[in-house]
């Protein structure tokens, strides 16, 4: 067994330090750092253990004025993703930095092959949108001196990961309070995937507003699915074909809300005379639906812009003042909500 010397201060740890500690060549350590596969599993494990123990981190000697950053979406939905893309691009274009865009086909955890390809291209930094790295993947990026920031709406990211998000619970609360103030009492909510925290947070805020005035939301009127128009349409049809249908529906995204609007038309219901509908995100298209959509403004461009500035600061060697920033969500009232029709 190799005898380990006392740890050197992190500032003096080099690849040669790791190689001497493990008893391998500098080239082998370099291969592990760069994600090459031609290293025996046992050797790789010992090198990784030594890198962790020595807190090795490759020091970037790059300035923010050159190179590119990678913007990685869990899924590239046109309207939502375009707002994030515009926010990031507004910052990178001023800084003279390129922006590469990719997506993970809906996965919230990048596969290792994605990380290996990324490291081989040596970006200045990485912006991750609604996707999260494993602890091992985070360590790999840190060792390469590649900083990363998460743009996430779920508020559950580790404190060690710089993250910009928004207050989802408050968004659900605002939507419900608006409907309750209009006089609606039988209200439905169609949220996003149940395994995504922002979906549950929006539904929880929505239900809490009812509890404030001594009401409960009928569990049969709480639905989860994707944030797509198809999910909004399918759940909308189910809810609106009930004999005890809701008088209002809060959708987890503007895209979902557009599916609900279509379902209402197919059921012969007028919005907002027969049904009130609220969306979420305040995408530009929300002003062009018929009727124009009442929604919760999630400042996606600002979220992306702040996250990009945070990342460029890390590239330049400046740590963020805080690791988590949550922006405020706000109600935007348009034409798709009104008091409920007189009940017979």
């Amino acid at each position: 067994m190799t005898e380990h010397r006392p740890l050197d201060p992190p500032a003096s740890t080099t690849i040669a330090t790791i190689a001497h500690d493990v008893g391998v060549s500098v080239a082998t350590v370099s291969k592990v750092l760069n994600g090459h596969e031609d290293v025996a599993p046992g050797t790789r494990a010992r090198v990784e253990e030594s890198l962790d123990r020595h807190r090795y981190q490759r020091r970037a000697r790059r300035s923010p004025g050159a190179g590119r950053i990678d913007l990685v979406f869990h899924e590239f939905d046109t309207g939502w993703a375009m707002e994030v893309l515009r926010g990031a691009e507004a910052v990178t274009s001023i800084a003279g930095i390129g922006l590469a865009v990719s997506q993970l086909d809906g996965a919230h955890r990048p596969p290792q092959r994605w990380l290996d390809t990324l490291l081989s291209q040596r970006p200045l930094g990485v912006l991750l949108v609604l996707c999260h790295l494993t602890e091992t993947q985070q360590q790999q990026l840190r060792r390469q001196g590649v900083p990363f920031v998460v743009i996430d709406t779920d508020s559950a990211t580790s404190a060690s990961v710089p993250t910009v998000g928004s207050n989802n619970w408050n968004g659900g609360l605002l939507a419900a309070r608006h409907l309750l103030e209009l006089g609606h009492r039988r209200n439905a909510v169609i949220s996003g995937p149940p395994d995504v925290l922002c979906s549950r947070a929006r539904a929880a805020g929505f239900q809490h507003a009812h509890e404030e005035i001594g009401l409960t939301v009928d569990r049969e009127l709480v639905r989860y699915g994707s944030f797509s128009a198809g999910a909004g349409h399918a759940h909308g049809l189910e809810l609106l074909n009930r004999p005890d249908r809701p008088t209002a529906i809060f959708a987890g995204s503007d895209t979902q809300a557009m599916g609900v609007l279509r379902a209402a038309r197919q059921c012969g219901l007028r919005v907002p005379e027969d049904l009130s509908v609220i969306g979420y995100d305040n995408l530009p298209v929300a002003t062009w639906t018929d009727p124009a959509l009442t929604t919760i403004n999630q400042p996606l461009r600002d979220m992306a812009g702040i996250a990009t500035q945070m990342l460029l600061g890390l590239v330049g060697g400046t740590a963020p003042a805080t690791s988590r920033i949550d922006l405020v969500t706000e109600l935007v009232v348009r034409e798709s909500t009104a008091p409920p029709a007189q009940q017979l």
Side-chain angles (χ1 to χ4, degrees), residues 238-289:
E238 291 178 5
L239 290 166
L240 297 177
N241 279 313
R242 294 173 61 97
D244 55 350
R245 67 172 179 83
T247 64
I249 296 178
F250 168 46
S253 72
D254 290 343
T255 306
Q256 258 188 0
M258 286 188 283
V260 173
L261 291 175
R262 181 174 180 180
R265 287 194 298 273
Q266 290 176 331
C267 291
L269 299 174
R270 300 167 299 164
V271 177
E273 292 85 355
D274 304 315
L275 176 73
S276 285
V277 179
I278 299 184
Y280 202 103
D281 290 329
N282 195 27
L283 300 180
V285 71
T287 63
W288 292 99
T289 59

Side-chain angles (χ1 to χ4, degrees), residues 40-60:
T43 302
R44 179 183 297 276
R46 289 190 294 119
V47 171
E48 292 279 3
E49 187 276 333
S50 181
L51 289 166
D52 286 341
R53 210 158 28 79
H54 284 83
R55 293 172 292 165
Y56 176 85
Q57 181 175 343
R58 178 175 289 176
R59 289 155 182 77

Side-chain angles (χ1 to χ4, degrees), residues 148-229:
F148 54 92
V149 174
V150 173
I151 302 171
D152 203 334
T153 58
D154 73 7
S155 306
T157 312
S158 166
S160 65
V161 179
T163 306
V164 179
S166 64
N167 193 327
N168 293 282
W169 189 88
N170 186 63
L173 182 80
L174 292 175
R177 282 179 175 172
H178 175 60
L179 294 176
L180 293 168
E181 288 168 1
L182 288 173
H184 292 275
R185 292 299 181 266
R186 187 160 178 76
N187 303 317
V189 54
I190 305 172
S191 198
D195 60 341
V196 176
L197 185 60
C198 68
S199 303
R200 302 197 302 275
R202 292 172 193 175
F206 188 81
Q207 294 181 71
H208 181 80
H210 288 75
E211 293 166 2
E212 287 181 325
I213 61 171
L215 297 177
T216 58
V217 178
D218 185 341
R219 294 180 64 179
E220 292 295 317
L221 302 185
V222 180
R223 305 296 177 91
Y224 291 92
S226 74
F227 285 118
S228 67

